[in-house]
Amino acid sequence: MAEPAGDSSAKVIYLRSYGERDRDDHAVVGQVLDATVEMLRGAAFADLTTRRIAEQAGVPHAELCAYFRSKDAIVAEVYLGLLRGAPLTVDVDEPARARVVTLFDQLVMLLAEEPALAAACSSALISTEPSVQAIRKRIHGELHRRVRTVLRSSAWPEVAETLEFSLVGAMVQASSGATTFRDTADTLARVVAAVLPDGS
C-alpha cells in the first residue's frame, strides 16, 4: 500500500472474500449478531439459547439454525466481526517492538468495556464444535495478518509465531476474567520486549 505523503502511518484494509460476502452481509445474520450482543449486556452466556436469540432477533429459529449451529458459533462470529472492524494503522517510523506492543494493546483491550461479551467469546473460542473451529480459523487468520503486517519483514517466522501464540493466550486469559485486561496488556508488552530485541 502506498504511504501518504508526509504521513508515516498507513491504514491497512482487508477486503472480505467473495465467498464470505453472501453470508456476512445477509440481513438475518446481522440481526442475530446484534441481538446476541444486546442480550449479553443483560444476561449470562450460560442462559442464552439459540431459540432465545432468535426471538430477540425477530427471526424464525429454523432460519437462525440455517446460518449458525450453536450459540458458540454466533458469539465466535461476533468476535470475528469486532476484530475485523478494529482499525489497523502501521507507523513505519516506529521500531517493530513498538508497533507490535501497540497492536497487542489494542486487541487485548478490544472487549475491556464488555466483560460479559468477553467471557462469552472466551468460552466460544475454546469450543470443540466443528462450526466454531471453522470460525476460529478465520479469527486466527485475521490475527496472523495483523501481526505480520506490523512486523513487516522484521522477524523470522518462528518469532512471529511465538508472538501470535502469546497474543491468543493473553486474549483468552483476559476474556475469561483470570486477570484484568490492563494487566494482561502490560504483561504481554513485557513478553514482546523479551521476544523482540531492543530497537528492532
mmCIF file of all heavy atoms in Angstrom, residues 41-65:
data_model
loop_
_atom_site.group_PDB
_atom_site.id
_atom_site.type_symbol
_atom_site.label_atom_id
_atom_site.label_comp_id
_atom_site.label_asym_id
_atom_site.label_seq_id
_atom_site.Cartn_x
_atom_site.Cartn_y
_atom_site.Cartn_z
ATOM 1 N N ARG A 41 -25.478 -8.132 27.254
ATOM 2 C CA ARG A 41 -25.335 -6.973 28.141
ATOM 3 C C ARG A 41 -26.270 -7.078 29.350
ATOM 4 O O ARG A 41 -26.161 -6.293 30.286
ATOM 5 C CB ARG A 41 -25.607 -5.684 27.368
ATOM 6 C CG ARG A 41 -24.492 -5.367 26.381
ATOM 7 C CD ARG A 41 -24.777 -4.149 25.536
ATOM 8 N NE ARG A 41 -23.628 -3.849 24.675
ATOM 9 C CZ ARG A 41 -23.715 -3.311 23.483
ATOM 10 N NH1 ARG A 41 -24.904 -2.993 22.983
ATOM 11 N NH2 ARG A 41 -22.627 -3.067 22.774
ATOM 12 N N GLY A 42 -27.183 -8.056 29.299
ATOM 13 C CA GLY A 42 -28.112 -8.191 30.410
ATOM 14 C C GLY A 42 -28.314 -9.609 30.886
ATOM 15 O O GLY A 42 -29.087 -9.858 31.820
ATOM 16 N N ALA A 43 -27.639 -10.565 30.257
ATOM 17 C CA ALA A 43 -27.814 -11.966 30.635
ATOM 18 C C ALA A 43 -26.486 -12.702 30.516
ATOM 19 O O ALA A 43 -25.617 -12.320 29.724
ATOM 20 C CB ALA A 43 -28.854 -12.630 29.738
ATOM 21 N N ALA A 44 -26.336 -13.751 31.314
ATOM 22 C CA ALA A 44 -25.118 -14.560 31.267
ATOM 23 C C ALA A 44 -25.128 -15.435 30.017
ATOM 24 O O ALA A 44 -26.183 -15.847 29.531
ATOM 25 C CB ALA A 44 -25.028 -15.437 32.509
ATOM 26 N N PHE A 45 -23.957 -15.725 29.504
ATOM 27 C CA PHE A 45 -23.835 -16.550 28.312
ATOM 28 C C PHE A 45 -24.490 -17.917 28.527
ATOM 29 O O PHE A 45 -25.119 -18.471 27.619
ATOM 30 C CB PHE A 45 -22.356 -16.711 27.958
ATOM 31 C CG PHE A 45 -22.099 -17.528 26.726
ATOM 32 C CD1 PHE A 45 -22.655 -17.188 25.512
ATOM 33 C CD2 PHE A 45 -21.275 -18.650 26.778
ATOM 34 C CE1 PHE A 45 -22.421 -17.938 24.368
ATOM 35 C CE2 PHE A 45 -21.032 -19.403 25.642
ATOM 36 C CZ PHE A 45 -21.597 -19.047 24.442
ATOM 37 N N ALA A 46 -24.363 -18.451 29.738
ATOM 38 C CA ALA A 46 -24.932 -19.766 30.036
ATOM 39 C C ALA A 46 -26.449 -19.784 29.891
ATOM 40 O O ALA A 46 -27.049 -20.837 29.647
ATOM 41 C CB ALA A 46 -24.537 -20.193 31.448
ATOM 42 N N ASP A 47 -27.074 -18.621 30.056
ATOM 43 C CA ASP A 47 -28.537 -18.541 29.971
ATOM 44 C C ASP A 47 -29.050 -18.359 28.545
ATOM 45 O O ASP A 47 -30.248 -18.445 28.309
ATOM 46 C CB ASP A 47 -29.049 -17.383 30.843
ATOM 47 C CG ASP A 47 -28.769 -17.609 32.324
ATOM 48 O OD1 ASP A 47 -28.680 -18.778 32.730
ATOM 49 O OD2 ASP A 47 -28.625 -16.605 33.045
ATOM 50 N N LEU A 48 -28.160 -18.094 27.629
ATOM 51 C CA LEU A 48 -28.574 -17.885 26.244
ATOM 52 C C LEU A 48 -28.817 -19.216 25.538
ATOM 53 O O LEU A 48 -28.130 -20.204 25.802
ATOM 54 C CB LEU A 48 -27.509 -17.104 25.469
ATOM 55 C CG LEU A 48 -27.712 -15.589 25.359
ATOM 56 C CD1 LEU A 48 -27.662 -14.954 26.737
ATOM 57 C CD2 LEU A 48 -26.647 -14.975 24.463
ATOM 58 N N THR A 49 -29.787 -19.233 24.671
ATOM 59 C CA THR A 49 -30.029 -20.364 23.779
ATOM 60 C C THR A 49 -30.255 -19.803 22.383
ATOM 61 O O THR A 49 -30.580 -18.622 22.215
ATOM 62 C CB THR A 49 -31.279 -21.168 24.193
ATOM 63 O OG1 THR A 49 -32.443 -20.326 24.062
ATOM 64 C CG2 THR A 49 -31.165 -21.660 25.638
ATOM 65 N N THR A 50 -30.085 -20.630 21.388
ATOM 66 C CA THR A 50 -30.326 -20.160 20.021
ATOM 67 C C THR A 50 -31.792 -19.753 19.839
ATOM 68 O O THR A 50 -32.091 -18.819 19.095
ATOM 69 C CB THR A 50 -29.962 -21.240 18.995
ATOM 70 O OG1 THR A 50 -30.667 -22.455 19.298
ATOM 71 C CG2 THR A 50 -28.462 -21.502 19.005
ATOM 72 N N ARG A 51 -32.691 -20.425 20.549
ATOM 73 C CA ARG A 51 -34.103 -20.075 20.434
ATOM 74 C C ARG A 51 -34.375 -18.684 21.009
ATOM 75 O O ARG A 51 -35.115 -17.889 20.423
ATOM 76 C CB ARG A 51 -34.966 -21.128 21.135
ATOM 77 C CG ARG A 51 -36.453 -21.025 20.783
ATOM 78 C CD ARG A 51 -37.199 -22.251 21.250
ATOM 79 N NE ARG A 51 -36.757 -23.453 20.563
ATOM 80 C CZ ARG A 51 -37.159 -23.821 19.357
ATOM 81 N NH1 ARG A 51 -38.006 -23.039 18.685
ATOM 82 N NH2 ARG A 51 -36.721 -24.927 18.815
ATOM 83 N N ARG A 52 -33.775 -18.395 22.160
ATOM 84 C CA ARG A 52 -33.956 -17.075 22.770
ATOM 85 C C ARG A 52 -33.332 -15.987 21.893
ATOM 86 O O ARG A 52 -33.884 -14.889 21.764
ATOM 87 C CB ARG A 52 -33.334 -17.036 24.162
ATOM 88 C CG ARG A 52 -34.099 -17.807 25.230
ATOM 89 C CD ARG A 52 -33.499 -17.567 26.596
ATOM 90 N NE ARG A 52 -33.580 -16.156 26.958
ATOM 91 C CZ ARG A 52 -32.923 -15.595 27.980
ATOM 92 N NH1 ARG A 52 -32.112 -16.329 28.722
ATOM 93 N NH2 ARG A 52 -33.058 -14.321 28.243
ATOM 94 N N ILE A 53 -32.199 -16.291 21.311
ATOM 95 C CA ILE A 53 -31.547 -15.318 20.426
ATOM 96 C C ILE A 53 -32.430 -15.066 19.199
ATOM 97 O O ILE A 53 -32.596 -13.919 18.765
ATOM 98 C CB ILE A 53 -30.153 -15.814 20.002
ATOM 99 C CG1 ILE A 53 -29.217 -15.862 21.216
ATOM 100 C CG2 ILE A 53 -29.568 -14.905 18.917
ATOM 101 C CD1 ILE A 53 -27.887 -16.541 20.935
ATOM 102 N N ALA A 54 -33.009 -16.120 18.659
ATOM 103 C CA ALA A 54 -33.889 -15.965 17.500
ATOM 104 C C ALA A 54 -35.082 -15.081 17.843
ATOM 105 O O ALA A 54 -35.478 -14.212 17.048
ATOM 106 C CB ALA A 54 -34.358 -17.339 17.025
ATOM 107 N N GLU A 55 -35.652 -15.278 19.022
ATOM 108 C CA GLU A 55 -36.787 -14.453 19.445
ATOM 109 C C GLU A 55 -36.382 -12.991 19.569
ATOM 110 O O GLU A 55 -37.097 -12.090 19.135
ATOM 111 C CB GLU A 55 -37.328 -14.970 20.777
ATOM 112 C CG GLU A 55 -38.007 -16.329 20.680
ATOM 113 C CD GLU A 55 -38.396 -16.879 22.035
ATOM 114 O OE1 GLU A 55 -38.102 -16.211 23.065
ATOM 115 O OE2 GLU A 55 -38.981 -17.975 22.090
ATOM 116 N N GLN A 56 -35.213 -12.746 20.168
ATOM 117 C CA GLN A 56 -34.723 -11.384 20.326
ATOM 118 C C GLN A 56 -34.450 -10.735 18.970
ATOM 119 O O GLN A 56 -34.706 -9.544 18.773
ATOM 120 C CB GLN A 56 -33.442 -11.391 21.165
ATOM 121 C CG GLN A 56 -32.779 -10.040 21.368
ATOM 122 C CD GLN A 56 -33.503 -9.174 22.377
ATOM 123 O OE1 GLN A 56 -34.351 -9.667 23.132
ATOM 124 N NE2 GLN A 56 -33.192 -7.891 22.403
ATOM 125 N N ALA A 57 -33.936 -11.525 18.046
ATOM 126 C CA ALA A 57 -33.598 -11.004 16.709
ATOM 127 C C ALA A 57 -34.821 -10.861 15.827
ATOM 128 O O ALA A 57 -34.759 -10.188 14.787
ATOM 129 C CB ALA A 57 -32.588 -11.926 16.048
ATOM 130 N N GLY A 58 -35.918 -11.503 16.210
ATOM 131 C CA GLY A 58 -37.125 -11.422 15.392
ATOM 132 C C GLY A 58 -37.051 -12.251 14.127
ATOM 133 O O GLY A 58 -37.613 -11.878 13.090
ATOM 134 N N VAL A 59 -36.335 -13.374 14.211
ATOM 135 C CA VAL A 59 -36.222 -14.265 13.055
ATOM 136 C C VAL A 59 -36.658 -15.665 13.468
ATOM 137 O O VAL A 59 -36.550 -16.034 14.644
ATOM 138 C CB VAL A 59 -34.778 -14.306 12.503
ATOM 139 C CG1 VAL A 59 -34.303 -12.921 12.110
ATOM 140 C CG2 VAL A 59 -33.826 -14.925 13.509
ATOM 141 N N PRO A 60 -37.156 -16.473 12.547
ATOM 142 C CA PRO A 60 -37.529 -17.849 12.881
ATOM 143 C C PRO A 60 -36.315 -18.644 13.356
ATOM 144 O O PRO A 60 -35.208 -18.468 12.825
ATOM 145 C CB PRO A 60 -38.069 -18.401 11.555
ATOM 146 C CG PRO A 60 -38.453 -17.194 10.763
ATOM 147 C CD PRO A 60 -37.470 -16.135 11.146
ATOM 148 N N HIS A 61 -36.537 -19.485 14.344
ATOM 149 C CA HIS A 61 -35.429 -20.275 14.882
ATOM 150 C C HIS A 61 -34.796 -21.147 13.802
ATOM 151 O O HIS A 61 -33.565 -21.288 13.739
ATOM 152 C CB HIS A 61 -35.930 -21.153 16.039
ATOM 153 C CG HIS A 61 -34.830 -21.927 16.706
ATOM 154 N ND1 HIS A 61 -34.783 -23.302 16.722
ATOM 155 C CD2 HIS A 61 -33.716 -21.502 17.373
ATOM 156 C CE1 HIS A 61 -33.712 -23.694 17.370
ATOM 157 N NE2 HIS A 61 -33.049 -22.628 17.778
ATOM 158 N N ALA A 62 -35.600 -21.715 12.937
ATOM 159 C CA ALA A 62 -35.074 -22.558 11.871
ATOM 160 C C ALA A 62 -34.168 -21.770 10.934
ATOM 161 O O ALA A 62 -33.165 -22.292 10.427
ATOM 162 C CB ALA A 62 -36.221 -23.182 11.082
ATOM 163 N N GLU A 63 -34.499 -20.497 10.708
ATOM 164 C CA GLU A 63 -33.671 -19.669 9.827
ATOM 165 C C GLU A 63 -32.336 -19.357 10.496
ATOM 166 O O GLU A 63 -31.283 -19.358 9.853
ATOM 167 C CB GLU A 63 -34.408 -18.381 9.472
ATOM 168 C CG GLU A 63 -33.767 -17.636 8.321
ATOM 169 C CD GLU A 63 -34.686 -16.579 7.732
ATOM 170 O OE1 GLU A 63 -35.805 -16.381 8.260
ATOM 171 O OE2 GLU A 63 -34.272 -15.949 6.750
ATOM 172 N N LEU A 64 -32.366 -19.070 11.804
ATOM 173 C CA LEU A 64 -31.113 -18.862 12.525
ATOM 174 C C LEU A 64 -30.226 -20.093 12.404
ATOM 175 O O LEU A 64 -29.022 -19.984 12.148
ATOM 176 C CB LEU A 64 -31.400 -18.554 14.001
ATOM 177 C CG LEU A 64 -30.191 -18.345 14.918
ATOM 178 C CD1 LEU A 64 -30.539 -17.395 16.061
ATOM 179 C CD2 LEU A 64 -29.679 -19.659 15.511
ATOM 180 N N CYS A 65 -30.828 -21.268 12.595
ATOM 181 C CA CYS A 65 -30.059 -22.512 12.570
ATOM 182 C C CYS A 65 -29.495 -22.822 11.191
ATOM 183 O O CYS A 65 -28.557 -23.613 11.058
ATOM 184 C CB CYS A 65 -30.920 -23.676 13.058
ATOM 185 S SG CYS A 65 -31.326 -23.571 14.816
#
